[in-house]
């Protein structure tokens, strides 16, 4: 990844900028995919396609480099499991970062993120490089030069942008299991709420707070590390015998955090619970036995209302359920930056501004309204927002109550919204 950083700086110094047109480099294919445009290179051998993804610009919140690091980490996590991440660099007013991921097909890809100022915010083109392509490959050089030209013209994608017609070009394919259209679709798609007739009740929820050995991503601008890390995990035991273990908090990108809460967890669907982090549990009287789909079994002895295993103690945990709140809650930002807020009412209605930041903001979740109103429900640790335009989003929710019982902080996917009235 250091070679990619060096090459970017060299190209920035040598490139002569010309007017940027929304036509791909010579020989490349271009197609629309959702709210993005994908440019795919030619390839002489299977698995050597390079792809460039253009997204609509985002609006920075907080310090620019911190926001860019957070956005790129979120985008990379959608694409696959993060293996390594470089720090954010800046050269000539352009931000630059490389993140290596392993996708669902076990293919390790290098994602090169660029960031530059455009009219409506910060545009983040993403270059996807498969493992068979070296950093100094002419295709990587061509794509980098193309991005630098876009940055010089402050080009940004908008909802009306359409790729130029290319009747003689066909979407690139390969035999490696890598498909540009699917692997670089970094848009988050809201998961469906499980209907009542298929909603399996929970028999028990437990939390473990301690230390575990494994991979962790310490935060923006850092790299993946292995070792002992603090962890907060939830164990869910469903009435149909399905067990699930997830991270309670989402700051560890190497974990299994349920960003939507559990109102979207479809444990009645055998296909949905066939892999991690699921298993099957049985109650043997004084012991809970869990056979995980991946990994060895777990036996947890009942100790009062808690469960104990080897080096583990799981205590009961209450997911929020059915709450109706009355008040205004604000995610307070530093001076000069706009805060986000949500107003919740006892009658089940809400108004919100900037709540989409909880699911990555407009770059990651373009369908999540930045401003809007509607009705809400609280179920299985999720706050479900039903917007008037028909969009629905479940968000992991924890409510911190004051001694008088009133909610003082609403945590939405780890983002604190504090009561102001």
């Amino acid at each position: 990844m250091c070679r990619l950083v060096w090459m970017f700086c060299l190209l920035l110094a040598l490139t002569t900028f010309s007017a940027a047109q929304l036509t791909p480099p010579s020989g490349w294919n271009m197609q629309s995919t959702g709210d993005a445009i994908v440019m795919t290179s030619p390839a002489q051998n299977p698995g050597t396609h390079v792809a460039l993804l253009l997204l609509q610009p985002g609006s920075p919140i907080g310090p620019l480099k911190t926001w860019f690091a957070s956005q790129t980490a979120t985008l990379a996590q959608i694409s696959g499991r993060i293996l390594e991440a470089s720090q954010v660099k800046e050269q000539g007013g352009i931000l630059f970062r490389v993140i290596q991921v392993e996708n669902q097909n076990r293919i390790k890809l290098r994602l090169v993120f660029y960031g530059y100022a455009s009219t409506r915010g910060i545009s983040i083109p993403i270059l996807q490089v498969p493992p068979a392509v070296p950093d100094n490959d002419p295709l990587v050089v061509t794509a980098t030069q193309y991005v630098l030209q876009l940055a010089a013209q402050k080009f940004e994608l908008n909802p009306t942008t359409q790729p130029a017609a290319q009747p003689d070009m066909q979407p690139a394919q390969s035999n490696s299991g890598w498909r540009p259209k699917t692997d670089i679709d970094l848009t988050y798609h809201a998961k469906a709420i499980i209907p009542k007739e298929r909603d399996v009740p929970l028999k028990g929820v437990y939390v473990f707070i301690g230390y575990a050995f494994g991979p962790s991503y310490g935060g923006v601008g850092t790299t993946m590390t292995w070792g002992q890390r603090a962890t907060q995990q939830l164990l869910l035991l469903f009435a149909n015998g399905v067990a699930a273990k997830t991270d309670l908090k989402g700051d560890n990108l190497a974990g299994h955090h349920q960003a939507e809460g559990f109102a979207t967890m479809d444990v009645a669907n055998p296909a949905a619970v066939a892999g991690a982090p699921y298993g099957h549990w049985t109650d043997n009287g004084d012991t809970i036995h869990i056979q995980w789909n991946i990994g060895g079994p777990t036996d947890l002895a009942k100790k009062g209302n808690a469960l104990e295993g080897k080096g583990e103690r799981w205590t009961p945990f209450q997911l929020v359920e059915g709450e109706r709140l009355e008040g205004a809650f604000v995610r307070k930002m530093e001076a000069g930056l706009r805060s986000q807020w949500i107003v919740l009412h006892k009658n089940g209605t809400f108004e919100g501004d900037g709540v989409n930041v909880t699911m990555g903001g407009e770059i990651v979740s373009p369908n999540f309204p930045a401003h809007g109103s509607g009705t809400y429900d609280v179920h299985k640790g999720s706050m479900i927002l039903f917007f008037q335009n028909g969009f629905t989003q479940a968000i992991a929710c924890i409510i911190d109550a004051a001694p008088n019982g009133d909610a003082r902080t609403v945590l939405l996917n780890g983002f604190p919204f504090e009561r102001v009235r």
Side-chain angles (χ1 to χ4, degrees):
M1 292 200 299
C2 292
R3 291 175 60 190
L4 268 173
V5 174
W6 175 85
M7 186 186 72
F8 169 76
C9 296
L10 178 63
L11 287 175
L12 184 61
L14 298 178
T15 298
T16 300
F17 298 116
S18 61
Q21 302 293 328
L22 192 57
T23 54
S26 177
W28 287 50
N29 176 59
M30 182 164 63
Q31 59 185 339
S32 295
T33 170
D35 293 320
I37 284 181
V38 179
M39 298 181 181
T40 311
S41 75
Q44 295 181 347
N45 300 302
T48 59
H49 296 284
V50 170
L52 182 65
L53 177 68
L54 303 181
L55 301 170
Q56 295 189 38
S59 301
I61 299 175
L64 179 57
K65 282 190 176 181
T66 302
W67 174 85
F68 181 77
S70 177
Q71 289 290 307
T72 54
T74 301
L75 290 165
Q77 187 186 15
I78 295 173
S79 183
R81 181 171 64 93
I82 295 178
L83 301 177
E84 187 178 1
S86 75
Q87 293 186 350
V88 176
K89 304 290 184 180
E90 182 177 358
Q91 186 78 15
I94 303 175
L95 299 175
F96 178 82
R97 190 184 196 193
V98 185
I99 299 180
Q100 185 182 47
V101 301
E102 183 180 70
N103 68 11
Q104 60 185 359
N105 297 321
R106 300 292 180 89
I107 297 175
K108 295 179 181 179
L109 304 167
R110 302 190 304 285
L111 301 179
V112 187
F113 295 89
Y114 310 88
Y116 61 83
S118 56
T119 303
R120 293 185 292 134
I122 300 295
S123 292
I124 304 181
I126 306 169
L127 177 62
Q128 180 172 287
V129 184
V133 177
D135 295 343
N136 60 351
D137 188 275
L139 294 176
V140 177
V141 174
T142 296
T144 302
Q145 290 176 327
Y146 186 83
V147 170
L148 295 179
Q149 292 176 4
L150 295 179
Q153 300 299 320
K154 299 186 181 300
F155 172 84
E156 65 178 27
L157 204 62
N158 61 67
T160 63
T161 303
Q162 294 294 327
Q166 301 174 81
D168 298 328
M169 301 293 291
Q170 297 297 323
Q173 302 289 331
S174 79
N175 297 322
S176 67
W178 179 68
R179 297 291 186 269
K181 186 174 182 179
T182 56
D183 280 345
I184 60 173
D185 178 11
L186 301 180
T187 302
Y188 169 79
H189 302 282
K191 294 181 181 178
I193 309 302
I194 307 305
K196 290 183 179 180
E197 62 271 16
R198 299 182 60 249
D199 188 19
V200 179
L202 282 158
K203 297 291 287 186
V205 181
Y206 300 86
V207 64
F208 168 73
I209 300 176
Y211 291 89
F213 185 85
S216 64
Y217 176 76
V220 295
T222 67
T223 59
M224 186 69 69
T225 59
W226 284 80
Q228 194 176 56
R229 60 178 177 84
T231 184
Q232 299 182 38
Q233 293 183 314
L234 288 181
L235 175 65
L236 298 96
L237 305 178
F238 291 87
N240 65 347
V242 171
K245 185 163 61 175
T246 74
D247 287 344
L248 176 60
K249 295 176 63 180
D251 52 358
N252 173 29
L253 298 183
H256 300 283
H257 174 61
Q258 188 77 4
E260 305 85 4
F262 304 103
T264 62
M265 187 173 275
D266 190 5
V267 298
N269 180 1
V273 296
Y278 299 101
H280 189 272
W281 72 279
T282 54
D283 188 342
N284 301 330
D286 57 358
T287 303
I288 298 295
H289 175 79
I290 307 173
Q291 180 59 59
W292 298 107
N293 294 332
I294 298 176
T298 298
D299 288 305
L300 299 173
K302 296 179 181 179
K303 299 292 184 180
N305 61 356
L307 302 176
E308 293 185 359
K310 294 182 179 180
E312 299 178 341
R313 179 177 174 82
W314 297 83
T315 57
F317 185 85
Q318 186 67 45
L319 296 176
V320 290
E321 180 67 45
E323 277 80 351
R324 282 287 185 264
L325 307 179
E326 184 68 44
F329 300 85
V330 175
R331 178 177 178 245
K332 299 176 182 178
M333 303 295 291
E334 59 190 82
L337 298 176
R338 189 181 67 176
S339 299
Q340 298 92 44
W341 55 263
I342 186 169
V343 178
L344 301 167
H345 301 288
K346 285 281 189 181
N347 64 0
T349 61
F350 79 92
E351 302 90 42
D353 182 273
V355 183
N356 61 334
V357 70
T358 62
M359 303 303 287
E362 61 265 33
I363 285 184
V364 176
S365 304
N367 296 321
F368 192 149
H371 322 279
S373 61
T375 62
Y376 74 95
D377 194 9
V378 176
H379 178 54
K380 279 186 175 177
S382 302
M383 178 170 286
I384 308 168
L385 303 180
F386 302 92
F387 284 86
Q388 289 182 343
N389 69 354
F391 179 80
T392 299
Q393 177 71 64
I395 310 172
C397 177
I398 296 175
I399 298 175
D400 177 31
N404 64 359
D406 288 341
R408 55 187 175 191
T409 303
V410 177
L411 285 167
L412 296 177
N413 195 23
F415 290 76
F417 287 75
E418 301 176 14
R419 179 187 288 276
V420 294
R421 62 173 175 82

